[in-house]
Amino acid sequence: MKVEILEKNERIIKFVLHDANPQLANALRKTMIAGIPVLAIKEVDFYENSSALFDELLAHRLALIPFVFNPNELKLREECSCERGCALCQVVFALDKTGPCVVRACDLKSTHESVKPLYPEMPIVKLLEGQRVKLEATAILGFGSEHARWQAAKAFYRYYPFVEKEGKKTNEAMKVCPKKALRKENGKLTVSPECDLCRECMKVDPELVIKGDDTKFIFTVESICGLKAEEIVIKAVEMLEKKLKEIKKHAERIG
């Protein structure tokens, strides 16, 4: 199995997964979306809230704020030896603001210096003159399979396109391709990864056959949490490998 990077920045990574199969590709996709521990606010204690938003709505907004965090500094609550939560398995945020002002994510004061909102200027609520919000919020590591607040990324893949059979109307097919993915190289028709198998070219040239290779997959992963896109891919591979080892261990016991 081999990985070829097509594009990469902190928030998005695109790569080609070689020598795989649909089952592995889908397992990797699901793990990147919902199988990686992500930090998010789970519980909010309100001491005062005279804003225009109900407590429940304000808590919902807080839960969806993405936080930058170091996954090596925190533990899952079920893996921690404490009973009610401690500095190893939770981060506590304090907020106390009085209007008139716009309360933003950067107004949350964290018990961990390294934990901070990914988007500091994200608005939470607008306070009018005399209105006040005072609360304490607790964030823990969780998985997207339990709640959307812990979803790590938006991830999808498609089959890598290839020309199985050339037709007789190559020039016409190249012109109608909306992605301009068809081209001639050394007299041979090729297709670039931009092709999304829309089949517009095959409508013009019925003899042309372009298919998707079910051993090569073009992945697009966009981080929607505090982790970088590259970190999500690496962590997903580690989590998937861990699960496969556990399955193998149980299978050997049964056998």
Side-chain angles (χ1 to χ4, degrees), residues 2-9 12-18 156-161 192-195 216-221:
K2 185 177 69 173
V3 174
E4 175 190 353
I5 305 296
L6 300 177
E7 179 185 330
K8 183 179 75 169
N9 58 48
I12 298 177
I13 185 170
K14 295 181 181 180
F15 63 91
V16 180
L17 181 65
H18 296 259
F156 63 90
Y157 66 85
R158 51 192 172 88
Y159 293 138
Y160 198 97
S192 68
E194 285 76 22
C195 172
K216 293 173 67 177
F217 306 88
I218 303 172
F219 271 86
T220 300
V221 182

Side-chain angles (χ1 to χ4, degrees), residues 43 77 81-86 89-90 138:
E43 300 171 354
R77 184 164 287 182
S81 58
C82 70
E83 295 181 0
R84 302 182 62 182
C86 66
C89 64
Q90 67 180 29
T138 303

Side-chain angles (χ1 to χ4, degrees), residues 115-143:
V115 177
K116 55 186 178 181
L118 179 62
Y119 306 108
E121 296 302 311
M122 177 182 289
I124 299 174
V125 63
K126 183 177 181 179
L127 299 179
L128 301 180
E129 183 72 37
Q131 291 183 335
R132 184 187 183 192
V133 171
K134 183 179 180 181
L135 57 84
E136 195 173 88
T138 303
I140 64 171
L141 292 177
F143 296 94

Side-chain angles (χ1 to χ4, degrees), residues 19-254:
D19 303 323
N21 55 55
Q23 293 80 7
L24 177 60
N26 196 43
L28 181 60
R29 179 190 69 86
K30 286 185 175 181
T31 305
M32 289 188 289
I33 293 174
I36 297 174
V38 170
L39 184 70
I41 290 175
K42 183 183 181 183
E43 300 171 354
V44 182
D45 292 320
F46 288 93
Y47 300 106
E48 185 174 342
N49 177 23
S50 53
S51 72
L53 300 183
F54 293 114
D55 291 356
E56 294 82 1
L57 184 55
L58 196 52
H60 178 72
R61 287 192 174 188
L62 291 169
L64 296 180
I65 295 176
F67 292 100
V68 176
F69 67 100
N70 185 343
N72 297 320
E73 292 181 353
L74 297 170
K75 293 182 178 181
L76 291 168
R77 184 164 287 182
E78 55 267 26
E79 295 179 354
C80 190
S81 58
C82 70
E83 295 181 0
R84 302 182 62 182
C86 66
L88 293 176
C89 64
Q90 67 180 29
V91 179
V92 178
F93 296 92
L95 175 64
D96 188 357
K97 295 287 289 185
T98 302
C101 67
V102 175
V103 181
R104 301 184 184 278
C106 59
D107 294 319
L108 292 166
K109 307 304 178 184
S110 171
T111 54
H112 281 60
E113 292 184 1
S114 61
V115 177
K116 55 186 178 181
L118 179 62
Y119 306 108
E121 296 302 311
M122 177 182 289
I124 299 174
V125 63
K126 183 177 181 179
L127 299 179
L128 301 180
E129 183 72 37
Q131 291 183 335
R132 184 187 183 192
V133 171
K134 183 179 180 181
L135 57 84
E136 195 173 88
T138 303
I140 64 171
L141 292 177
F143 296 94
S145 55
E146 182 180 345
H147 194 281
R149 76 184 78 191
W150 290 301
Q151 185 173 328
K154 293 190 295 182
F156 63 90
Y157 66 85
R158 51 192 172 88
Y159 293 138
Y160 198 97
F162 71 96
V163 179
E164 184 179 67
K165 179 183 177 183
E166 290 192 36
K168 297 179 180 179
K169 300 179 180 179
T170 300
N171 292 333
E172 290 84 345
M174 291 171 61
K175 290 179 181 178
V176 300
C177 177
K179 297 294 183 72
K180 306 299 179 186
L182 288 172
R183 61 197 67 175
K184 279 279 190 178
E185 292 183 3
N186 300 322
K188 186 177 180 181
L189 185 66
T190 61
V191 59
S192 68
E194 285 76 22
C195 172
D196 58 5
L197 300 173
C198 69
R199 300 179 181 271
E200 288 298 318
C201 56
M202 288 187 276
K203 293 178 183 178
V204 175
D205 188 354
E207 295 184 17
L208 173 64
V209 179
I210 296 179
K211 291 185 176 181
D213 187 343
D214 61 3
T215 66
K216 293 173 67 177
F217 306 88
I218 303 172
F219 271 86
T220 300
V221 182
E222 180 182 355
S223 173
I224 58 174
C225 68
L227 297 174
K228 297 178 182 179
E230 183 178 5
E231 291 177 326
I232 290 174
V233 176
I234 295 173
K235 192 68 176 176
V237 173
E238 292 175 353
M239 296 295 290
L240 191 57
E241 184 179 16
K242 181 181 178 181
K243 289 181 179 179
L244 291 174
K245 286 182 178 179
E246 290 176 357
I247 293 173
K248 181 181 178 182
K249 186 186 296 184
H250 288 301
E252 288 174 348
R253 287 178 181 175
I254 296 172

